[in-house]
Amino acid sequence: MEQYDKKYFADLEKGEREELPRNLRILQTIESFKKSGKILDVGIGTGLFLRLAKKHGWQTFGVDASNYAINRVRKYGHKLFKGDFEDVDFENNFFDAINMRHVIEHIPNSKKALIKAYKILKPGGIICIATPDSFGFHAKIFGKDWPHLSLPYHLHFFSKNSLSKLVEDNGFEVLQTKTEELTIYDIFKLLLFKLGFSIKYQNPTLLSFKLNNLLAKFGFGEGIVIVAKRSK
């Protein structure tokens, strides 16, 4: 996981202001189906989602293949596991919820990962998966310049239908499918890049947050969010 180094996580930390409302919306989406219990965050990043979940009263667990991420987030008191999600030895029927935000596209065997998730969730447990939408508004705007066409880091590309089918084929019942918000700031950066300009990172404004949320409600998003339940 050499690409997920100190500089990578420093960039993530710069973007936490923008990521906070996104992570909070994911948590609220999960909580609309499951209020509390043991939650596992797959791919912990800076630990922002786990910190939010802990404040909401969840028992927080995380797994990540990056030593840097594990060491950075350990101080917040979460139970953490080092390694690839599909290879870590978790207890079966243990978790009430699993968060997989922008992870499944990185996993070589997505089917194996979902089989693992099904086994370690309790019956009735919830999984929330978010991933770039390869047929979404953002992808259509940029075509071959779509930033999520980032091989070899993104190994799979999903539509709402293909991700729903993958989830259902592995035993889950899909409860909700929706659009993750369009990132106006990122589109602005990409447009400048295509015109030959470059800009340094700046925190997005409150106005951009509101515009992102409004566009997402009308389906103008860059990602898919699917919530599913282990039914047995």
Side-chain angles (χ1 to χ4, degrees), residues 183-201:
T183 308
I184 301 300
Y185 180 75
D186 286 341
I187 286 182
F188 178 62
K189 286 195 297 183
L190 286 164
L191 286 172
L192 287 179
F193 177 76
K194 291 186 78 171
L195 292 171
F197 297 96
S198 63
I199 56 174
K200 293 182 179 181
Y201 186 89

Side-chain angles (χ1 to χ4, degrees), residues 18-174:
E18 183 177 6
E19 286 297 313
L20 191 148
R22 295 177 180 176
N23 279 271
L24 182 58
R25 278 192 292 274
I26 291 290
L27 181 59
Q28 290 170 338
T29 297
I30 292 170
E31 289 178 340
S32 67
F33 298 98
K34 185 72 66 173
K35 297 298 184 185
S36 62
K38 300 184 181 81
I39 192 166
L40 174 68
D41 190 24
V42 182
I44 61 175
T46 64
L48 177 59
F49 178 83
L50 287 175
R51 297 200 302 273
L52 289 170
K54 193 167 188 175
K55 285 182 180 179
H56 280 226
W58 290 84
Q59 297 177 57
T60 48
F61 300 76
V63 57
D64 205 294
S66 166
N67 278 317
Y68 187 86
I70 294 291
N71 292 333
R72 186 80 174 168
V73 175
R74 194 183 304 279
K75 63 184 177 183
Y76 296 108
H78 314 296
K79 174 66 175 177
L80 303 178
F81 300 85
K82 165 68 172 66
D84 294 326
F85 166 68
E86 60 271 36
D87 297 325
V88 173
D89 187 20
F90 298 106
E91 184 179 341
N92 288 343
N93 307 306
F94 184 76
F95 293 106
D96 297 283
I98 295 174
N99 178 44
M100 267 191 190
R101 183 170 182 267
H102 290 274
V103 169
I104 198 165
E105 66 271 17
H106 296 274
I107 297 175
N109 191 332
S110 52
K111 178 179 175 66
K112 182 180 178 182
L114 286 173
I115 291 171
K116 179 67 168 282
Y118 190 91
K119 288 180 179 178
I120 65 177
L121 276 172
K122 296 175 183 177
I126 297 297
I127 185 169
C128 184
I129 303 171
T131 189
D133 185 354
S134 59
F135 288 85
F137 183 72
H138 195 248
K140 289 174 182 175
I141 289 176
F142 290 101
K144 64 181 179 62
D145 295 318
W146 188 43
H148 295 298
L149 290 174
S150 53
L151 292 167
Y153 307 124
H154 288 187
L155 305 175
H156 307 284
F157 302 94
F158 297 99
S159 66
K160 287 181 181 178
N161 288 338
S162 67
L163 184 57
S164 293
K165 186 176 187 306
L166 178 66
V167 169
E168 289 172 341
D169 285 350
N170 286 283
F172 289 96
E173 175 190 350
V174 174

